[in-house]
Amino acid sequence: QVPLVESGGGLVQAGGSLRLSCSASLVTFSIHAIDWYRQAPGKQRELVASIKNNGTTNYAESVKDRFTISRDNAKKTVYLQMNSLKPEDTAVYYCHLRIVVDYWGRGTQVTVSS
């Protein structure tokens, strides 16, 4: 088991910002790519952003220029800075890591009011 713990979700008005954190108790944290996914009610889980061990990032088109993923290997934490939030960003946000199998956190709720 790889414990992934998300935090930082909440309720925010449209146009506001939130920063999500994902902490992983993993000795080899620094060598792994970490992803943020989200799942809105009635929709499939979708990839939001990824960061590789070398810092290379990738974003869904819907969040480009608004969200920023980063990592602090010393703290074994990945962050998702979310700016200019929209009601359609409302979802449960999950941290994901794949080491042979997929590991998921329990998620953190983000609600954006219009």
Side-chain angles (χ1 to χ4, degrees):
Q1 275 287 16
V2 177
L4 298 172
V5 181
E6 303 97 336
S7 62
L11 173 64
V12 64
Q13 288 188 331
S17 299
L18 284 173
R19 189 176 81 155
L20 306 183
S21 299
C22 169
S23 298
S25 298
L26 185 62
V27 173
T28 57
F29 176 87
S30 64
I31 70 170
H32 299 293
I34 307 288
D35 314 300
W36 281 100
Y37 281 75
R38 68 185 180 187
Q39 187 166 20
K43 294 188 177 181
Q44 288 191 332
R45 193 170 295 190
E46 63 173 352
L47 179 64
V48 175
S50 300
I51 186 164
K52 294 183 178 180
N53 59 347
N54 63 1
T56 301
T57 58
N58 186 52
Y59 298 92
E61 283 296 326
S62 60
V63 306
K64 271 185 180 177
D65 301 323
R66 299 189 298 122
F67 290 10
T68 302
I69 189 171
S70 61
R71 65 191 299 159
D72 184 333
N73 289 332
K75 294 183 177 180
K76 300 183 179 181
T77 300
V78 170
Y79 303 98
L80 186 67
Q81 177 66 45
M82 306 186 296
N83 299 327
S84 302
L85 282 161
K86 304 175 180 180
E88 51 263 44
D89 294 318
T90 295
V92 178
Y93 284 71
Y94 297 92
C95 190
H96 169 262
L97 165 68
R98 182 173 178 85
I99 307 174
V100 182
V101 296
D102 293 311
Y103 295 95
W104 298 91
R106 293 187 175 185
T108 184
Q109 175 71 47
V110 171
T111 303
V112 184
S113 63
S114 57

